[in-house]
Every structure is written in structure tokens, then in C-alpha cells.
Amino acid sequence: MNQWKNFTKGFLKDNPILVLILGTCPTLGTTTSGINGLSMGLATTFVLLGSNVFISLLKNFIPDKVRIPAFIVVIASFVTVVELVMKAYLPDLFNTLGLFIPLIVVNCIVLGRAEAFASKNNVFSSAVDGLGMGLGFAMALFLLGTIREILGAGSVLGHKFISGDGMLVFILAPGAFIALGYMIMLANQMKKKYIKD
Amino acid sequence: MEYILIIISSVFVSNIVLAQFLGICPFIGVSNKVETSIGMTGAVTFVIVLATVITYMVYTFILIPLGIEFARTITFILIIAALVQLVEIILKKVSPTMYQALGIFLPLITTNCAVLGLAVLAVQKDMNLVQSTVFAFGNALGFGLALITFAGIREQLDLLNIPKPMRGAPIALIVAGMLALAFMGFSGIV
């Protein structure tokens, strides 16, 4: 399999958020700014990479009938690692992302890649797949976070370019839904235009 | 009175789907028909309340005395997965009709982030057992309210002529955004 194709499919063709529409909860919940979105995306990338590699290594030892609980245990272990490391070294970020860090366990993308890819492919392909999918997820989160930050707070990466408030609604819940809706629409259009399969 | 306040605030003011972004996958995925949304709400309410009570007790009586609070995530998700499986088996024996009706939704509940999210929130919020149970029940009702309202709107959306790239998820999300705007009107009442 072409590893470059395997790596890049997560960015547009099979982007977890924009095309597969998986993992919407952390997407909407953590993207109040570009940095928050990116941090959440990178945390998920780490879990995805770790769980994909591990599950690929263990795929011959896990009995088929209990594979889903086994996958969940592997994923939950990596999430606990992220949780503890972040709490120790980045306490501010940990407080902002809050509940959504333990919720990486139930992010459909992670379990989805374990079931659909890592349990069938070799370690290297699974690692590339996990990294590509994770970075695609992080990219979409960063984009959504930046758009919401520009419209809602009038700043880019924390640097304000207007005085006063922006359209606050984009920082609040409704704006998240609406901004993501338009982003998915654009991705649909782009996919139709540039990717022929 | 205290319990009524918890219910009102979790159903309307900080609605689990529209204000806290939990349980969006089933909200977007299974809300095409009012009837299936009602089935989903039933199953989710049952699992959420049961899961919150059990995880709360395990956390307070086992994890804290042993000093292994860091194993919270892994323990909770295993309890929830086992619980969903158990509910499925019991329901199949006790009430086959209900099992038929809820059948496809049951396995999906394990990965519904509302269930794990509420279990974690309940132990974080320093509430006692009764308060947590009421909190879980109120949030499950809030999930149901959002899901069923949204399904009603989507049934009407099917009849409209929507631009092609907007069909499916994009229009659903934008409508959800408007619904969230409406729910913002409740903020401050409790």
C-alpha cells in the first residue's frame, strides 16, 4: 500500500470530522480558540497513534469475540496517560479542555480506526494511518477553532486585532454548530471538485 | 425543591446536547424520525441513570479508599460497556418486544459520550448519591428533549428543497445551532 496516500487520506478524502462526521462532541466542545482546538487535536493524535500501534501488535493475541472491550482497555490506558501528563505539565490547558480529555475514550474515530484499520494491517501502516487521521482531525479542529476565534473574539491565536468584543455567539454553543455546518458544506464541495476516485 | 432545580437546570439551562456538546453523534445520527428518537431516549435514559449510580458507588467506595482515582476513566468505561451488555441480555429475556424496538440502539450507547461524560461529571461535582441520580435523570431528559425536538424539525426538513452541498450533516448542524440559540434564552432562569 502506498504509505503517502495512507497518510494523506485523513486530511481531506477521509477527514474524520469534515467527511466521516465522527467525533463531533470534542470538535464542538473544545474549539473556542485555535490553540484549544489544536491541543485537543494533538492529544487525540497521540492516543490514536498509540492505540493503533498497540492494537496492531496485539491483533493476533486478542480473541475475536472480546476484541471491542480489549480495544477499549488499550485506548483508555493511553487516555489515562494523556490525562496524567497534561495534569502534571499543562494544568491550565487541562482545566480548559476539562471533561473532553477523558472523553477521548469514547471518540468514535479512535475505536473506528482500531476496528477498521489497525486490527487488519501491519504495525507500520497502522502507525501511519493513526498519525494521518489524527493530524487530519487536529487540522480540522484548528481551522474551526481559528474561525470561531476570529468571528467571536476578533483575535488570531490570542492576538486581538479589533477593540472590544466580536460576535460573541460564535464563542458560545450555537456558533459552534453553525460554523461546523458551513465547514462541512465547504469540504463537501472541495472533495467533489479535487478528488476523483 | 433542590431536586426540581437540578432537573430544570439540566434539562433547559445547560442542556447536555445543545450547551455542553455531549452525545452529538446520536443527536445527528439517529434523529431522522420522531419514533426512533423516542426509542433511543428510552434506552439512553435507562443506561445513563444506572451507569451514573453504579460508577458513583464504585468511585466512592472502591477507587477512593484504595487511592487509585487515576484509574477512573478505564474503570468507568468498562462498567458502562458491561452494563450495556447486561441490559441487552436482560431485555432480550424479559421483554422481547422492547428489545426489538431498542435493539440497534443498545450497542451504540457504549460510545455515546453523554453516558461517560455524565458519570465523570457526577463524581467531579461533589454531589451525594441522590443528587447524582437526579442529575443523571435530568440530563437524560434534556437529551431526550433535544433529540425529539430535533427529529421533529428534521422530518419537516426532508420536505424542503435544500441546496445540494448543504444536504445531510451541514443543514442538520445549522438547524442544531438555531435550536441551541433558542435554548440560550433559558440561561439565567435558575
Side-chain angles (χ1 to χ4, degrees), chain B residues 49 53 72 80 84-85 99 122 133 155 172:
Chain B
V49 174
V53 172
R72 184 187 67 193
I80 291 167
V84 171
Q85 197 88 126
Y99 177 75
T133 315
E155 278 187 357

Side-chain angles (χ1 to χ4, degrees), chain B residues 94-118:
Chain B
V94 176
S95 160
T97 36
M98 191 140 130
Y99 177 75
Q100 283 278 315
L102 299 180
I104 42 166
F105 302 125
L106 280 171
L108 282 179
I109 296 176
T110 314
T111 51
N112 182 339
C113 38
V115 183
L116 181 63
L118 281 174

Side-chain angles (χ1 to χ4, degrees), chain A residues 121-178:
Chain A
N121 289 285
N122 65 33
V123 178
F124 184 66
S125 304
S126 304
V128 173
D129 174 78
L131 201 63
M133 277 289 175
L135 291 178
F137 181 73
M139 178 201 77
L141 248 68
F142 178 65
L143 271 179
L144 181 62
T146 309
I147 292 170
R148 284 180 68 189
E149 201 185 335
I150 291 174
L151 294 173
S155 61
V156 179
L157 298 175
H159 301 291
K160 272 184 103 63
F161 59 80
I162 58 163
S163 55
D165 293 327
M167 291 181 273
L168 268 180
V169 74
F170 276 94
I171 294 290
L172 299 170
F177 284 106
I178 294 171

Side-chain angles (χ1 to χ4, degrees), chain A residues 12 180-192, chain B residues 165 170:
Chain A
L12 182 60
L180 182 64
Y182 280 106
M183 255 177 86
I184 292 175
M185 182 198 82
L186 280 177
N188 278 348
Q189 278 297 76
M190 269 168 69
K191 202 181 161 222
K192 227 169 41 198

Side-chain angles (χ1 to χ4, degrees), chain A residues 21 25 29 83 103 173 177 185, chain B residues 18 21-22 72-73 113 166:
Chain A
I21 330 246
C25 305
E83 222 179 323
L103 286 184
F177 284 106
M185 182 198 82
Chain B
L18 298 167
F21 305 116
L22 296 175
R72 184 187 67 193
T73 313
C113 38
M166 295 284 274

Side-chain angles (χ1 to χ4, degrees), chain A residues 12-74:
Chain A
L12 182 60
K13 190 172 149 270
D14 281 332
N15 188 290
I17 296 172
L18 302 175
V19 179
L20 305 176
I21 330 246
L22 290 174
T24 18
C25 305
T27 309
L28 296 170
T30 59
T31 49
T32 45
S33 73
I35 290 292
N36 287 350
L38 189 63
S39 329
M40 184 65 201
L42 293 179
T44 312
T45 307
F46 172 76
V47 174
L48 200 53
L49 181 63
S51 71
N52 256 12
V53 168
F54 238 74
I55 286 163
S56 178
L57 282 170
L58 292 171
K59 64 177 183 288
N60 296 327
F61 302 101
I62 298 174
D64 208 37
K65 276 198 174 145
V66 293
R67 67 176 193 285
I68 300 287
F71 294 168
I72 290 180
V73 173
V74 172

